[in-house]
Amino acid sequence: MPAPDVPSVTVRPATPTDLTTMAAWQCRYVPDGLFPQMGERFVRRWHASFLDSPFGVALVAERVDAQGTQAVGFLVGSTDQFRHIDDVVRRHRVRLALAGLLALAQRPRLGAHFVRTRGRAYLKRILTPKSHRTPSAAPAAGAAADATSNAASRATAGTAANATSGGQIAVVTAIAVDPAARGTGAGQELINRFLEDARTAGAARAELVTLLGEGNAAPFYERLNWSAVDEHPTRDGMRARTYRYELGDNGQ
């Protein structure tokens, strides 16, 4: 059965004042992948790129109760993954690259791992002119490639792959819900709002990637009618599954 629809949970666009909390949640509740390991300062800069991108989506879920309004979760993603990454590379690559280099310099072992597993792909993405890029490269490179998830109870997720099968692809890059808000429907509300925004923006489908293993998020997405379309190893040697949601007047 789908998670309950709780009226006390609302979703709004994220603002710059939310970035500190969002980055803390990303690193605490979505620790897998390269970017969370680079620290909250880097993740904060990364999340900021979703706020001012015309193709970015940044949402915050809030719970209203007797104590007032409290943020309980967030989601970042894109309504057009290929164009969003192009926009981020064009306008934020210097700032993100400098922040990334600083974070890696402070974490030598992580820096060595980055060089082995991602260095060439990231460098190619940054240096390749837009006219020479292909849509199939978009989801596999850049920030989105490292936001994966590992806990259904946290409603965490990552990125999609394969932009070659046609149509504009929306991607859930990262989503996390505070464990204290478990059972409120916050994760479902964030996903529903994202799908609504993606459909309005003209996306043909939405995709995400979640890690497999104990406590994984796969059952959460399956309850929300996302379809598994692929399984693959990550750059860090873990297993991941791609999920897809076909967008139309009535969803899937």
Side-chain angles (χ1 to χ4, degrees):
M1 295 292 294
D5 183 11
V6 180
S8 61
V9 174
T10 61
V11 175
R12 61 169 174 80
T15 69
T17 59
D18 296 310
L19 291 173
T20 297
T21 299
M22 291 166 60
W25 281 344
Q26 173 90 53
C27 294
R28 186 180 309 156
Y29 303 135
V30 197
D32 301 296
L34 175 69
F35 285 8
Q37 296 179 55
M38 293 169 68
E40 293 183 19
R41 182 176 181 180
F42 176 82
V43 172
R44 189 163 58 247
R45 288 184 177 273
W46 171 43
H47 284 178
S49 70
F50 291 85
L51 266 61
D52 63 4
S53 167
F55 311 104
V57 177
L59 304 170
V60 169
E62 293 181 325
R63 181 175 58 190
V64 181
D65 55 27
Q67 283 70 46
T69 301
Q70 179 183 8
V72 295
F74 81 93
L75 179 152
V76 291
S78 66
T79 59
D80 187 324
Q81 179 71 347
F82 183 56
R83 292 180 179 177
H84 173 68
I85 291 180
D86 275 337
D87 181 77
V88 171
V89 170
R90 178 174 57 85
R91 296 194 296 118
H92 296 281
R93 62 180 171 183
V94 174
R95 183 164 46 187
L96 284 173
L98 291 175
L101 288 173
L102 177 61
L104 293 174
Q106 295 171 339
R107 301 164 176 82
R109 293 182 62 182
L110 183 63
H113 180 69
F114 169 81
V115 171
R116 291 195 308 271
T117 61
R118 298 163 171 84
R120 182 178 298 179
Y122 275 57
L123 186 62
K124 180 179 180 181
R125 180 66 194 180
I126 291 172
L127 297 180
T128 301
K130 181 178 179 180
S131 60
H132 290 79
R133 299 175 197 157
T134 60
S136 62
D146 286 293
T148 51
S149 65
N150 70 343
S153 61
R154 300 169 187 166
T156 58
T159 64
N162 189 5
T164 61
S165 55
Q168 177 180 326
I169 301 175
V171 170
V172 177
T173 303
I175 172 174
V177 172
D178 190 327
R182 189 176 304 166
T184 64
Q188 181 177 355
E189 292 299 320
L190 285 165
I191 290 291
N192 288 345
R193 175 64 178 271
F194 172 80
L195 293 176
E196 178 183 335
D197 290 350
R199 184 180 292 112
T200 300
R205 65 182 182 272
E207 294 187 355
L208 59 86
V209 172
T210 185
L211 295 182
L212 301 178
E214 185 178 357
N216 70 80
F220 171 76
Y221 297 112
E222 290 168 4
R223 286 197 300 270
L224 298 184
N225 296 320
W226 289 70
S227 300
V229 295
D230 176 64
E231 286 192 18
H232 55 276
T234 70
R235 291 186 177 102
D236 300 314
M238 304 178 74
R239 296 295 301 177
R241 180 178 296 163
T242 302
Y243 279 89
R244 180 175 298 164
Y245 193 101
E246 298 295 338
L247 292 167
D249 292 338
N250 298 312
Q252 187 175 13

